[in-house]
Amino acid sequence: MSLRILAAPLLLAICLTNLAAAQESDGDQAAAAETPVAAEQPPAEDAKPAAEEKPAEEKPAAEEKPAAEEKPAADKPAAEDEKTVASPEEVKKLQAVFDQRVKEWRKATQEFWAEVNEFHTAGGDVKFSEQIRWAERESATRDAMQAAFLAASDLVFADHENRDARTFMAQSILYHAQNDWYEGLKDAALAMLEVGIKDVQLNVIAGVAAAATGDFEVAKENLKLTPAEGDEGLLKVARRMNFMLDPLQEAWEKEQKIRQAEAEADDLPRVLLKTTRGDVLVELFENEAPNTVASFISLVEDGFYSNVPFYQVVEHEFAQTGDRDGDGSGTADYRVRDEATGERGIFRGSLVLAKIPNPNAAHNPDVPGTIPDTGSSQFLITLLPFNPDYKELCCFGRVISGMGAISTLNRAKVEKEKDAPVVLPDSIIEAEVVRKRDHEYKPETLPY
């Protein structure tokens, strides 16, 4: 059964338990095994998002090891090349860290299972405190898995033949790629390539993850190997990303300068979204989109986003919320004028104001893809970057922590395919303004 179909509150526990079993079993399976079919991003519909979260925290680019220079009998022995080889002491330390992280992850998984049993056997309505406790436990389990994943990556780089770490990595790479969880994924895929596993899916995963996290040299080096045909895994996504790498890199470099200035000022509003997958902290771009931010903050303070579902989560694209009815039609009973469209690039983790799609766009390429001035309460959090040439939407903020929670949201859909399994949407449990500037946030609105 695919991880996507297992998506439910039990998903993480089931997947992590399966990973634990695989990690204990023999077998060194190739890392890039089938990742799920990529959903193609339509040209300019209701909301095409993609975004970027904390790219700077990724380890620097793929270190392509140059071929050893042929120097006639110099001081170096002939067999020695330019690769950095970890000493036995370093490998021993990395092994100890990996073993400890796996132990902590297993413990967190067991505790999560206990929470699962208690949650599903409790009678009566689910209390708010129980929702929060569930989300915190799942978040802790996911964090423990990520720590073990990163420790395995470090160990495989240092000790290519480490079977336990390689097996753990193979399973984890699959899980991360299927869930659009790109933090740490680039280095893990590169580590498996480094140990000699030849699979173009690893290059595809490394390339997409690099583009998602701002490492464009690694992205270019790996995405150029993407096959021209095939739909499996991230192949469609890789071809789409490869097409826009140059303008995306230019937009990302511009974005970094803006973010640096914002970090120095350190005064942008922030909102904490408590979701059924854990906490997500977002920062709002008041400098570029003051009215959109005023609308968002006023809705948060009015409690509008409490118990609002992520009613549509499109793999490799975005998670959409802000509709209290959960069918795509809900609004805040007012509209806001378009502002700052195209001023900030849309990267992994961007907050994008959703607008109504233009029904004429499919037949007339000269009309906008969305209807102007139709933004309200609905917004997207992007899983991957958008094409920088698409400038119809207002990017009004970004996730600064918690993208793991967004990546693992249930893949809910508004329009369900026939005989498709029921997927219950995750939700924002509550939203809270944790920082804002010293003035009133009252938006200028338009009637519906």
Side-chain angles (χ1 to χ4, degrees):
M1 185 178 291
S2 74
L3 296 178
R4 194 157 46 108
I5 291 175
L6 282 172
L10 290 180
L11 169 127
L12 193 62
I14 292 170
C15 290
L16 295 184
T17 303
N18 289 343
L19 274 176
Q23 201 264 334
E24 289 173 344
S25 70
D26 228 8
D28 185 326
Q29 306 184 352
E34 340 142 11
T35 48
V37 177
E40 228 173 346
Q41 186 174 314
E45 292 202 9
D46 179 288
K48 275 140 225 190
E52 220 301 351
E53 183 209 39
K54 300 208 269 195
E57 290 182 8
E58 285 280 339
K59 295 180 190 170
E63 300 174 0
E64 222 180 293
K65 316 287 187 201
E69 294 181 41
E70 292 185 30
K71 290 187 179 178
D75 296 332
K76 292 183 183 178
E80 187 177 330
D81 64 34
E82 298 298 320
K83 291 183 180 179
T84 302
V85 179
S87 68
E89 292 77 15
E90 290 171 325
V91 171
K92 188 175 180 181
K93 287 180 182 177
L94 292 171
Q95 179 72 58
V97 171
F98 172 64
D99 291 343
Q100 180 62 28
R101 295 291 178 265
V102 170
K103 182 178 178 182
E104 292 167 353
W105 163 64
R106 286 178 178 155
K107 181 174 183 288
T109 304
Q110 290 169 356
E111 292 172 348
F112 183 63
W113 265 115
E115 197 75 48
V116 166
N117 293 332
E118 184 177 343
F119 189 86
H120 285 281
T121 55
D125 295 333
V126 177
K127 296 178 182 177
F128 175 77
S129 60
E130 291 171 338
Q131 286 184 297
I132 295 295
R133 191 180 68 199
W134 170 282
E136 288 174 346
R137 183 69 73 190
E138 178 169 342
S139 181
T141 308
R142 189 174 55 247
D143 289 347
M145 177 192 173
Q146 185 72 350
F149 179 50
L150 298 177
S153 180
D154 290 340
L155 181 54
V156 169
F157 263 122
D159 180 6
H160 294 354
E161 304 305 318
N162 192 298
R163 188 173 60 185
D164 286 347
R166 286 172 60 160
T167 301
F168 186 92
M169 287 269 288
Q171 298 292 324
S172 298
I173 286 172
L174 172 62
Y175 180 78
H176 278 67
Q178 286 180 323
N179 284 279
D180 290 298
W181 190 359
Y182 297 108
E183 288 68 44
L185 184 56
K186 175 202 72 177
D187 289 312
L190 291 175
M192 296 300 270
L193 289 166
E194 175 77 9
V195 304
I197 295 177
K198 304 297 182 186
D199 189 327
V200 73
Q201 283 283 0
L202 279 173
N203 296 100
V204 166
I205 289 171
V208 172
T213 53
D215 192 338
F216 293 100
E217 296 311 312
V218 172
K220 290 174 184 177
E221 197 62 32
N222 285 275
L223 290 180
K224 69 183 181 183
L225 303 175
T226 304
E229 298 180 353
D231 293 342
E232 66 273 14
L234 292 171
L235 288 180
K236 281 187 178 180
V237 177
R239 287 194 287 270
R240 187 179 80 212
M241 298 294 291
N242 195 32
F243 175 75
M244 62 184 188
L245 277 181
D246 286 336
L248 189 60
Q249 182 173 10
E250 183 179 342
W252 177 242
E253 289 169 355
K254 175 185 174 184
E255 177 73 9
Q256 290 309 288
K257 293 176 182 176
I258 298 173
R259 291 189 186 184
Q260 183 177 354
E262 290 172 342
E264 290 170 358
D266 194 25
D267 68 343
L268 288 178
R270 290 181 178 178
V271 168
L272 180 65
L273 305 176
K274 286 189 171 293
T275 80
T276 47
R277 294 289 180 176
D279 290 355
V280 179
L281 183 63
V282 303
E283 188 167 83
L284 306 176
F285 300 155
E286 185 176 346
N287 296 338
E288 292 84 6
N291 196 52
T292 305
V293 168
S295 174
F296 186 69
I297 287 181
S298 67
L299 290 172
V300 169
E301 292 183 328
D302 287 344
F304 181 90
Y305 291 109
S306 295
N307 296 311
V308 172
F310 286 95
Y311 72 89
Q312 178 167 238
V313 181
V314 182
E315 61 183 2
H316 318 317
E317 292 195 27
F318 58 85
Q320 187 163 354
T321 185
D323 172 9
R324 298 178 68 86
D325 298 326
D327 62 5
S329 64
T331 70
D333 295 328
Y334 65 78
R335 298 174 291 133
V336 293
R337 292 192 186 279
D338 291 345
E339 65 177 340
T341 52
E343 284 194 32
R344 296 290 289 257
I346 299 175
F347 304 99
R348 173 168 169 78
S350 291
L351 271 66
V352 180
L353 192 66
K355 292 164 61 178
I356 296 175
N358 189 337
N360 299 317
H363 313 291
N364 185 350
D366 296 327
V367 303
T370 56
I371 300 175
D373 302 331
T374 54
S376 183
S377 59
Q378 292 196 42
F379 66 96
L380 319 163
I381 301 179
T382 55
L383 297 171
L384 282 171
F386 276 14
N387 191 327
D389 292 335
Y390 182 63
K391 298 182 183 296
E392 290 188 28
L393 301 176
C394 171
C395 177
F396 68 95
R398 69 185 180 100
V399 173
I400 58 175
S401 68
M403 271 307 291
I406 298 300
S407 295
T408 51
L409 291 171
N410 290 344
R411 269 38 178 180
K413 294 182 179 179
V414 177
E415 297 180 4
K416 300 178 176 58
E417 299 169 8
K418 185 179 179 181
D419 299 326
V422 175
V423 177
L424 297 176
D426 283 296
S427 300
I428 299 172
I429 301 171
E430 71 169 353
E432 175 190 1
V433 177
V434 295
R435 185 172 79 179
K436 62 181 180 178
R437 290 171 175 169
D438 188 21
H439 63 78
E440 184 182 17
Y441 285 82
K442 186 175 180 179
E444 296 179 5
T445 64
L446 301 170
Y448 249 112

